[in-house]
Amino acid sequence: MAQRVIILSGRVSSGKSTLAIALVTQYGCVRVRTQELILRALPGTGKERRALQAAGDRLDRKTNGTWIASALAKMLQTLPRDAIVVIDSARIREQIVAIRRASRQPVVHVHLVAPLGLLAERYKARRNSIKEVADYASLSRNATERHVDQLGETADVVIDTKSCSEADVVARVASHLGFYGRSYQRLVDVIIGGGYGSEGKGHIAAHLSPEYDVLVRVGGPNAGHTVYEDPPYTHHQLPSGTRRCEAKLIIGPGAVLDVKKLRQEIADCKVSAERLSIDPQAMIITAADKRWEMTHLRGSISSTAQGGGKATARRVLRGAPQPVQLARDIKVLAPYIRETQQVLDRAFFRGERILLEGTQGTALSLYHGLYPFVTSRDTTVSGCLAEAGIAPSRVRKVVMVCRTYPIRVGGPSGEMGTEISWAEVSRRSGIPVQQLRRAERTSTTNRRRRVAEFDWALLRRAASLNAPTDIALTFTDYIRQENQRARRFEQLTTDTIRFIEEMERVAAAPVSLISTRFEFRSIVDRRRW
């Protein structure tokens, strides 16, 4: 049975149908058009305003206004238990009373009003599938139509649409219906990097993703998140859990997009247009952006030269001197373009769990990293939330991913604590050095990485900036190769356990996820949530 029934009433052109359609598209409501019920009950009725009014009046007289309630009762038996039905629309008091008496679910009656002069103007501009009468005065000669405004006396909600846009009406009605909640539920968990990137966020995100209804990705194609498959797969634009679950996918308005790479990834992952929503305001990278970065940034700061920084700079300059293209301007992306705030609002309304996957690491933040050896965005949890369009008060958990030995790309990519060699990591861990060198190449540009001792001061700074509720520690096999065999916390080596305990003290957060290798069943999950 339906969770709730919403009855709309109001004079013709008050905005009922527009509101009903918005409630369907934005909140997944089921619309019941009384016009269609009339045509079903009286098949010979013509699709004309006067004919429909007269037929509705006949049904009211014959059933004392119970015909809508009867049709609704049959429909409710076929709908999901959490369905919300919008009746568009009721015209007499007896119809509303009958629906309230017949429904076991809460019923909310919403009545829309506007001055007659404004209603007449709107009526002139109508484009409808039924034949309308000549003018609003003629329309109002119907006795039922003349008395519709009396329904406002007993309605639960009355909205004057005089000075409101269509979106205003939807926002006001949705708030009355509680669609935004009476408070903000904490439904969002965020994954961010605690170092210089390449911490293994994709591996952690893929592990967690089956627990979520919506996966959100921010950033751009300069970050590659590799997930374990046979062979492994690297996500540059889509969330890392795309192939692990059936959750809805969102690319937020702050993202920068390489259209060719994105389309290839969509094809590789067989993602439908219904599943993926790309915000119309996401920024498009051009070939000229990539060439500029290759010329000016690749050699000086070891940039990936994927064009994201240059594209972002053009966006900041708002089209001067070069024009800007957003996702809404790209024809091939049209099937995926949606206002992602509306998608998120619908998810919040339904109590769905959301995983926001950040990219790169805190130490590469444009504002908090060692400038100029940084990326072109704020990589902290605050920056990721802003790019996605999610308020901080929505956040439940912040998972900060750290690796046992931080890395940076080879070349002039900036300072990194106390650097060591891969031969030294090999000596300590027991992993063959050639195996380490093969594995430690960048996901996006396939360049060799530099490596350093674990940076405790960096951990403390990243924890201060992100306030993590949990730490995910990766590459514990780099401490000791024996950790690859661990399936439980107590099976880790003693020095690894001591390392984790020290991390928890410095970060003031539990190490809840521990990656022991890049393979199936390679994460020790100690979460309490």
Side-chain angles (χ1 to χ4, degrees), residues 90-357:
R91 298 177 71 229
I92 64 172
R93 177 180 176 275
E94 287 77 9
Q95 293 174 350
I96 296 168
V97 170
I99 293 168
R100 289 190 187 277
R101 286 177 175 172
S103 178
R104 296 180 181 179
Q105 295 73 37
V107 175
V108 181
H109 175 198
V110 178
H111 185 75
L112 303 184
V113 299
L116 283 175
L118 177 58
L119 292 173
E121 290 178 17
R122 292 177 181 171
Y123 188 70
K124 286 181 184 177
R126 282 172 75 96
R127 297 291 180 269
N128 212 329
S129 59
I130 66 172
K131 184 178 179 181
E132 299 286 359
V133 297
D135 53 46
Y136 205 76
S138 301
L139 174 73
S140 300
R141 293 191 187 112
N142 177 270
T144 303
E145 182 66 20
R146 284 200 309 272
H147 294 99
V148 163
D149 272 344
Q150 294 178 2
L151 298 181
E153 296 174 3
T154 57
D156 300 296
V157 179
V158 176
I159 301 292
D160 188 340
T161 66
K162 175 184 177 182
S163 302
C164 293
S165 67
E166 294 174 359
D168 291 337
V169 175
V170 175
R172 293 174 67 188
V173 171
S175 66
H176 279 286
L177 296 172
F179 285 1
Y180 304 135
R182 306 306 180 192
S183 62
Y184 292 103
Q185 286 182 277
R186 296 183 178 273
L187 297 168
V188 179
D189 297 339
V190 187
I191 294 177
I192 42 89
Y196 301 96
S198 301
E199 300 97 345
K201 294 180 293 298
H203 192 41
I204 298 297
H207 170 75
L208 295 177
S209 61
E211 301 176 17
Y212 296 85
D213 303 292
V214 182
L215 307 179
V216 185
R217 180 77 184 261
V218 294
N222 52 333
H225 290 187
T226 304
V227 298
Y228 181 76
E229 295 178 5
D230 189 14
Y233 187 82
T234 300
H235 292 276
H236 290 278
Q237 304 255 225
L238 295 180
S240 297
T242 296
R243 289 150 74 117
R244 295 289 179 91
C245 64
E246 297 301 317
K248 294 186 286 293
L249 309 174
I250 291 177
I251 297 178
V256 285
L257 307 178
D258 182 318
V259 176
K260 183 177 179 181
K261 283 188 175 181
L262 175 58
R263 293 185 69 198
Q264 183 61 58
E265 200 169 334
I266 289 171
D268 289 347
C269 300
K270 298 179 174 60
V271 174
S272 68
E274 292 74 26
R275 187 183 179 201
L276 172 62
S277 297
I278 301 174
D279 196 273
Q281 300 224 94
M283 180 69 188
I284 301 300
I285 297 169
T286 67
D289 293 328
K290 296 181 185 180
R291 290 194 298 270
W292 190 93
E293 289 194 0
M294 183 65 74
T295 302
H296 295 90
L297 298 181
R298 183 67 174 261
S300 59
I301 62 170
S302 291
S303 167
T304 60
Q306 298 302 300
K310 179 62 173 175
T312 301
R314 289 192 298 110
R315 179 173 191 158
V316 171
L317 292 174
R318 284 151 287 186
Q322 297 169 303
V324 164
Q325 274 192 316
L326 301 179
R328 67 192 182 206
D329 303 316
I330 306 302
K331 188 175 181 179
V332 294
L333 297 182
Y336 309 95
I337 300 300
R338 295 179 189 88
E339 294 283 350
T340 56
Q341 186 181 13
Q342 292 183 3
V343 180
L344 287 168
D345 272 347
R346 183 170 172 179
F348 295 140
F349 159 63
R350 292 183 171 275
E352 295 177 344
R353 295 188 60 190
I354 298 165
L355 181 64
L356 169 58
E357 181 182 349

Side-chain angles (χ1 to χ4, degrees), residues 12 17 31-43 45-49 51-53 55-56 59 67-68 87-91 95 126 128-132:
V12 173
S17 294
R31 182 187 181 196
V32 176
R33 300 185 68 191
T34 54
Q35 179 186 123
E36 294 176 357
L37 297 182
I38 291 171
L39 293 172
R40 199 177 306 156
L42 301 172
T45 305
K47 286 192 175 183
E48 300 174 336
R49 176 67 63 183
L52 289 166
Q53 286 179 332
L59 287 172
W67 57 280
I68 298 176
I87 298 174
D88 175 21
S89 60
R91 298 177 71 229
Q95 293 174 350
R126 282 172 75 96
N128 212 329
S129 59
I130 66 172
K131 184 178 179 181
E132 299 286 359

